């Protein structure tokens, strides 16, 4: 098949997608018109519609949640805003729509990628490239045409958060970065909205409810004081380089699914006025299925946003506050000067293609102790040039560039590495990682050690390969997988 044939087929598929989307919207409009007509003709205005009783009967039978009519009515009149249409937001939205919550808002600025599909069940292969909120809205409307779904294809920030959040009864934080967590928390406190927050990474997750009941509510002071906001527990953000993410550290798909389902349960309970997990944190470890529920500290009497003497009266610049970007994507660190970095294309042409054929692949293993790892590193260096891949062992095993030694950044002993470089008279060291962040950190730390070790003598060249393996795939080897 020629390239022209591929382009033609891709164009036809895009046209079919647009046609399908238009037909789905037409079908949903017809269903909504039919339901409204059916309700007017067959139901009393103060009664639950017949279709609602039939559809939601299984949950309406739960007497511990209230009477059947109360459950159905409160949920149909309720509204939930989900910030993030990813691994947490998708399962939460599925069950909230299934439960018949009257209005669901979904905020996300991202587009569907192939790497999303193992954990974000509202999206599919044919929707790759589509905005996540549109993809989610289409799927949710197909599930329940009686629920109003409002997509917000934007990045939540200080200019729009209050106006959007104020329109909903319950807010779900389904994001993956500190900047947005602080933003959502502060906006919920200022608008007096309960916040259901969750996180998932690798094989573990955690979730709780913040700011519920909110201050100035009808609840007693003791109940309010026992339920802190996010800022009460974390008054200052952690350094951005210490914050993990699914794209950096990985996640087993069902784990965020579990946490998102828990968020949906708590949102439903809040809408029904039932007791929630507020004041406690549930931690889940899927490796051995340990569920740990811990009591949280009370509201911080000096909290800048939710205390009686709060000083934050409006939303601030949260990127500046967290010294990070408001994105679920990988960090884009810039801690090295341009002469301390080398572009993958230049590295390939000037360094890699001229490597000695005697260089060997790494024999370092994840089971090696630090001493064994350092000894192996010393033995494997047979050249005046070292190429080090600082990704995890799992990432390196999945895909790597031959002749690179795998030395994960969280295992590197920079004192030992500097010693090896000096003893072996190594002249050049090049670091690479997935996107060019950890490689910068490794470069800086090794250079700092070498400056102290070499003192007045000429230092070896130490550089990171800018853009990492993603840029390598774009500019050097298009067959190298991007993940």
């Amino acid at each position: 098949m020629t390239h022209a044939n591929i382009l033609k087929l891709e164009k036809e598929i895009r046209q079919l997608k647009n046609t399908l989307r238009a037909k789905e919207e037409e079908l949903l409009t017809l269903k909504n018109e039919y339901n409204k007509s059916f309700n007017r003709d067959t139901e009393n205005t103060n009664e639950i519609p017949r279709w609602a009783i039939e559809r939601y009967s299984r949950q309406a039978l739960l007497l511990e949640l209230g009477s059947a009519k109360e459950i159905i009515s409160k949920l149909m009149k309720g509204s939930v805003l989900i910030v993030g249409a990813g691994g947490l937001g998708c399962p939460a939205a599925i069950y909230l729509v299934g439960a018949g919550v009257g209005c669901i808002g979904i905020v996300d600025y991202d587009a569907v990628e192939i790497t999303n599909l193992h954990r974000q069940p509202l999206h599919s292969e044919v929707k790759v490239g589509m905005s996540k909120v549109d993809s989610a809205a289409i799927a949710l409307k197909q599930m329940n045409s009686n629920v109003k779904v409002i997509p917000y294809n934007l990045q939540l920030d200080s200019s729009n958060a209050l106006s959007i959040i104020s329109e909903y009864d319950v807010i779900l934080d389904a994001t993956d970065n500190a900047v947005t967590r602080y933003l959502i928390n502060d906006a919920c406190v200022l608008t007096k909205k309960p916040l259901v927050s969750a996180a998932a990474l690798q094989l573990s997750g955690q979730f709780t409810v913040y700011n519920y009941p909110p201050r100035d509510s009808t609840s007693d002071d003791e109940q309010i004081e026992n339920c802190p906001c996010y800022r009460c527990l974390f008054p200052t953000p952690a350094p951005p380089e210490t914050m993990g993410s699914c794209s950096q550290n990985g996640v087993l798909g069902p784990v965020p699914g579990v946490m998102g389902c828990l968020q949906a349960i708590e949102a439903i309970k809040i809408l029904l006025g039932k007791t929630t997990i507020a004041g406690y944190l549930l931690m889940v470890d899927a490796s051995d299925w340990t569920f740990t529920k811990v009591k949280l500290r009370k509201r911080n009497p000096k909290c800048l946003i939710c205390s009686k003497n709060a000083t934050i009266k409006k939303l601030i610049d949260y990127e500046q506050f967290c010294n990070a970007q408001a994105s679920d994507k990988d960090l884009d660190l810039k801690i090295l000067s341009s002469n301390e970095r080398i572009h993958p294309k230049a590295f390939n042409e000037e360094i890699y293609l001229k490597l000695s054929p005697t260089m060997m692949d790494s024999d370092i293993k994840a089971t090696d102790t630090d001493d064994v790892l350092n000894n192996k590193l010393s033995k494997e260096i047979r050249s005046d040039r070292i190429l080090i891949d600082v990704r995890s062992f799992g990432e390196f095993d999945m895909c790597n560039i031959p002749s690179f030694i795998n030395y994960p950044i969280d295992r590197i002993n920079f004192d030992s590495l500097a010693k090896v470089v000096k003893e072996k008279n190594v002249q050049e060291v090049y670091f690479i990682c997935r996107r060019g962040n950890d490689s910068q950190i490794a470069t800086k730390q090794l250079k700092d050690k070498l400056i102290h070790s070499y003192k007045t003598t000429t230092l070896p060249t130490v550089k990171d390969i800018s853009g990492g393996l993603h840029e390598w795939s774009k500019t050097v080897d298009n067959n190298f997988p991007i993940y």
Side-chain angles (χ1 to χ4, degrees):
M1 180 176 286
T2 65
H3 183 61
N5 294 137
I6 293 174
L7 292 176
K8 180 182 178 183
L9 185 58
E10 288 178 339
K11 182 179 179 180
E12 291 175 355
I13 290 173
R14 285 195 298 270
Q15 292 172 339
L16 288 171
K17 285 181 181 179
N18 292 332
T19 301
L20 176 62
R21 204 175 308 164
K23 291 295 182 183
E24 287 173 337
E25 291 293 335
E26 183 181 349
L27 176 61
L28 288 172
T29 300
L30 290 173
K31 282 185 175 181
N32 288 332
E33 290 176 354
Y34 172 78
N35 286 335
K36 290 177 182 178
S37 175
F38 180 82
N39 293 340
R40 284 195 302 268
D41 295 341
T42 62
E43 306 292 342
N44 297 322
T45 56
N46 60 347
E47 293 291 326
I48 303 298
R50 173 186 164 185
W51 65 262
I53 295 174
E54 293 175 344
R55 179 157 195 153
Y56 307 128
S57 61
R58 296 301 184 267
Q59 67 194 31
L61 295 174
L62 300 174
L63 295 179
E64 56 267 40
L65 295 181
S67 70
K69 288 184 178 180
E70 184 181 39
I71 293 171
I72 295 174
S73 177
K74 284 186 175 181
L75 292 181
M76 289 179 65
K77 293 176 181 177
S79 60
V80 177
L81 179 70
I82 304 173
V83 185
L88 296 166
C90 283
I94 287 172
Y95 284 99
L96 290 172
V97 164
V101 174
C103 179
I104 303 293
I106 306 177
V107 180
D108 205 305
Y109 60 90
D110 209 353
V112 178
E113 299 177 357
I114 196 71
T115 57
N116 302 146
L117 302 185
H118 90 290
R119 68 190 186 282
Q120 300 178 15
L122 286 178
H123 312 309
S124 61
E125 290 181 358
V126 297
K127 294 179 181 176
V128 171
M130 184 187 297
S131 73
K132 282 189 175 182
V133 291
D134 288 338
S135 169
I138 290 171
L140 293 172
K141 287 177 182 177
Q142 289 174 336
M143 290 174 55
N144 192 344
S145 59
N146 300 292
V147 171
K148 183 178 182 180
V149 180
I150 304 177
Y152 298 89
N153 188 15
L154 51 81
Q155 184 166 323
L156 202 70
D157 59 31
S158 297
S159 69
N160 56 35
L162 291 177
S163 60
I164 295 174
I165 286 175
S166 63
E167 296 295 319
Y168 292 85
D169 299 319
V170 183
I171 313 302
L172 267 59
D173 180 355
T175 63
D176 191 23
N177 68 86
V179 175
T180 311
R181 285 192 185 281
Y182 280 99
L183 167 68
I184 297 172
N185 175 79
D186 290 3
C188 284
V189 172
L190 292 174
T191 55
K192 299 179 175 57
K193 303 293 182 179
L195 172 59
V196 185
S197 179
L201 193 65
Q202 297 180 332
L203 288 167
S204 62
Q206 60 185 42
F207 99 109
T208 188
V209 174
Y210 294 117
N211 196 48
Y212 183 71
R215 192 175 292 283
D216 297 333
S217 71
T218 56
S219 300
D220 60 67
D221 286 343
E222 183 178 358
Q223 188 178 1
I224 292 173
E225 297 307 320
N226 284 333
C227 300
C229 77
Y230 182 74
R231 195 186 277 268
C232 286
L233 303 177
F234 307 100
T236 57
E241 61 270 17
T242 65
M243 303 293 288
S245 69
C246 294
S247 60
Q248 289 176 309
N249 304 96
V251 65
L252 186 65
V255 174
V258 170
M259 307 317 297
C261 288
L262 294 176
Q263 285 184 283
I265 292 173
E266 292 303 276
I268 290 171
K269 287 163 65 179
I270 291 172
L271 291 174
L272 297 178
K274 302 303 176 182
T275 302
T276 71
I277 199 173
Y280 293 84
L281 176 73
L282 181 67
M283 296 181 290
V284 180
D285 186 347
S287 62
D288 59 0
W289 283 119
T290 301
F291 286 72
T292 306
K293 184 180 177 183
V294 298
K295 186 171 179 57
L296 297 173
R297 296 193 301 271
K298 293 185 177 182
R299 285 190 189 246
N300 181 356
K302 296 182 179 179
C303 179
L304 299 180
I305 187 72
C306 81
S307 67
K308 292 181 179 179
N309 299 313
T311 57
I312 297 178
K313 304 297 184 182
K314 61 181 181 179
L315 300 182
I316 62 174
D317 184 335
Y318 292 90
E319 289 193 337
Q320 183 182 44
F321 173 66
C322 296
N323 191 28
Q325 58 187 11
S327 170
D328 291 352
K329 299 294 185 181
D330 296 87
L331 295 172
D332 183 20
L333 297 181
K334 293 180 175 63
I335 59 178
L336 299 178
S337 62
S338 59
N339 61 2
E340 294 174 295
R341 314 191 73 185
I342 183 170
H343 190 274
K345 189 172 183 180
F347 169 79
N348 182 57
E349 295 172 354
E350 300 169 15
I351 308 296
Y352 190 69
L353 293 178
K354 299 177 182 179
L355 288 178
S356 167
T358 59
M359 288 192 71
M360 303 291 289
D361 290 342
S362 174
D363 188 40
I364 293 174
K365 297 181 176 61
T367 54
D368 292 339
T369 64
D370 288 345
D371 288 341
V372 171
L373 189 149
N374 289 322
N375 287 335
K376 281 187 176 181
L377 180 68
S378 179
K379 291 178 182 177
E380 288 184 1
I381 297 175
R382 306 175 182 85
S383 168
D384 61 355
R385 180 180 290 130
I386 314 175
L387 313 181
I388 299 178
D389 187 326
V390 299
R391 294 176 300 152
S392 68
F393 289 116
E395 291 176 280
F396 186 83
D397 183 59
M398 185 167 58
C399 55
N400 62 77
I401 302 174
S403 295
F404 273 82
I405 294 172
N406 185 205
Y407 200 0
I409 191 166
D410 59 351
R411 297 286 303 276
I412 296 178
N413 183 321
F414 286 97
D415 287 311
S416 297
L417 181 56
K419 182 179 179 182
V420 170
V421 169
K422 188 173 182 180
E423 290 178 349
K424 296 278 187 173
N425 196 28
V426 174
Q427 298 300 307
E428 298 175 41
V429 181
Y430 295 93
F431 290 102
I432 197 169
C433 65
R434 182 165 166 252
R435 286 184 178 269
N437 292 317
D438 286 343
S439 56
Q440 289 187 72
I441 296 172
T443 298
K444 186 177 187 308
Q445 293 200 37
L446 179 59
K447 289 191 74 170
D448 289 344
K449 296 295 183 183
L450 291 174
I451 289 171
H452 177 74
S453 177
Y454 277 67
K455 295 181 180 177
T456 58
T457 58
T458 304
L459 289 175
T461 296
V462 182
K463 293 187 178 184
D464 97 296
I465 300 172
S466 61
L469 293 168
H470 273 229
E471 193 65 22
W472 175 273
S473 178
K474 292 177 184 177
T475 59
V476 178
D477 180 4
N478 299 138
N479 290 319
F480 195 90
I482 292 178
Y483 64 94

